[in-house]
Every structure is written in structure tokens, then in C-alpha cells.
Amino acid sequence: SERPQLGNFSHSWDEASRKFRAAALAAGARLEQIALPHLKEAGVSSDADGRLLCIDVAVFSADDNGDDVSKNQKILLYTAGQHGVEGYAGSAILIDLCKQIQAAGGVAAAVPEGGKIIFVHVMNPHGMREWRRWNESNVDLNRNNGISQLEFLERAENPDPIYVKYDKFLNPTQKLSFCDCFTPRLLCLI
């Protein structure tokens, strides 16, 4: 396969979402959208153009039977952007994959009979929009899952000292600039 094109990369969540939806439709996907109503209540529901933040989902199915999933059906699920800031690379990869499906002849050529491919585009749109790892509730979706509320609270009250040592380096509170000396600081930490 060829290298992904630079044009697949985006500068904002909104641009990435528009490019993904267009590429998925061109490749023959059925598009769905997961609304995030809690963001509207928190006052972070839209981008600069007023478009509501959401999670876009593209479903490629050889025999599109809607939501009917048999237990023998093979499904490939591909997600991107759990750490919001990763969404830029993940989005470019998904856009490229949609274009490859289109170039291969669309859904009929790319998806075997009885199979589905599901692309979940940017699972953390707020994090992507704000260039942060965590979501609007300050939760790192790739680190804080699978534990009980009690365990979460215990970890918050008694964080791992090694993580605390590197926290500000790993989770900056603002965009990095050229003057932040990332590489020298990394070398000092190592």
C-alpha cells in the first residue's frame, strides 16, 4: 500500500469530520452519528462554526441489513482518537482507508459476503478539538476504563508517584511551541 496522502490530515476536528464523512460516503458506507448531548449541557457542544460535536461512524456492509448482526457475521471494528490529540493521525488513516476501499471498487469488492467493516471516527471529539488527551470530563478514555468508581477515586487521591513525576511532561495544559524545548526536556527525563 502507498503512504497516506498529506491531504488526508486535518487542522481541526470539524475539518477531519467533514473529510471522513465525504470519503466514507464516496466509498459506499452507511453513515451514522453518535450524538453527545452531555456536551451541549456542559457548554462545549460545538466547534467554531456551531456544528455539534459528535462521533461519526461509517459502516461498510456487503449485504447491508441495517443493525441485524448474526452470530456468524465477521466484523472488523476500527476506532480512532481515544486520546483526543491522536485523532489527527487516526482520522487521516481512516480517510485513507476509505479512499482505498473506494479505489478497490467500493464495498462489494472490499467487504466479504456476510461481513462488515465499521470505522469509528474520533471517539473523543472534545479532546481532539482542544488538542488534549482527555475528554470534557477530564477523563483519559484509554487509561480510565474498566475500573470501578471507587478504584478511580482511590487512584485520584493516591496517584502513582512515577506518573505524578512525569504528568506535566506527558499532559501539557497548553499547546506546545518551538520554545518549549521538548527534546532536551525529554532527554533530561530519560
Side-chain angles (χ1 to χ4, degrees):
S1 170
E2 295 180 19
R3 299 169 100 188
Q5 299 298 310
L6 288 177
N8 293 337
F9 287 88
S10 303
H11 293 94
S12 68
W13 168 83
D14 187 52
E15 178 187 357
S17 177
R18 276 189 259 122
K19 284 181 178 181
F20 171 73
R21 293 174 66 77
L25 282 173
R30 177 172 42 90
L31 288 176
E32 298 182 12
Q33 211 173 55
I34 300 172
L36 302 171
H38 65 284
L39 292 179
K40 188 174 185 179
E41 296 167 12
V44 291
S45 62
S46 60
D47 65 4
D49 296 328
R51 185 166 178 263
L52 293 179
L53 294 176
C54 61
I55 300 171
D56 294 310
V57 179
V59 179
F60 297 90
S61 180
D63 49 329
D64 197 358
N65 50 5
D67 294 328
D68 181 30
V69 179
S70 73
K71 56 184 168 177
N72 296 326
Q73 193 170 34
K74 293 184 173 137
I75 299 173
L76 170 69
L77 174 66
Y78 192 108
T79 64
Q82 284 181 306
H83 289 144
V85 75
E86 295 172 347
Y88 293 94
S91 174
I93 291 167
L94 287 178
I95 292 165
D96 187 69
L97 290 172
C98 288
K99 289 178 179 179
Q100 287 184 40
I101 289 171
Q102 181 183 12
V107 175
V111 182
E113 186 177 330
K116 283 187 188 212
I117 298 174
I118 302 172
F119 291 158
V120 182
H121 182 255
V122 187
M123 294 180 63
N124 182 1
H126 176 265
M128 182 175 175
R129 185 186 72 175
E130 299 297 323
W131 290 77
R132 299 287 178 257
R133 288 173 51 111
W134 50 87
N135 70 4
E136 68 285 346
S137 300
N138 207 28
V139 173
D140 184 333
L141 300 178
N142 207 32
R143 299 283 187 263
N144 296 43
N145 54 13
I147 62 172
S148 70
Q149 183 69 18
L150 179 61
E151 287 175 293
F152 178 79
L153 293 173
E154 287 174 0
R155 289 181 189 182
E157 291 176 14
N158 301 306
D160 183 301
I162 294 172
Y163 185 82
V164 171
K165 179 179 177 181
Y166 300 108
D167 181 42
K168 287 186 180 179
F169 181 78
L170 295 172
N171 302 303
T173 57
Q174 57 194 19
K175 285 185 184 180
L176 297 177
S177 70
F178 180 76
C179 298
D180 287 312
C181 302
F182 178 84
T183 304
R185 288 180 32 220
L186 175 63
L187 292 172
C188 288
L189 285 173
I190 292 173

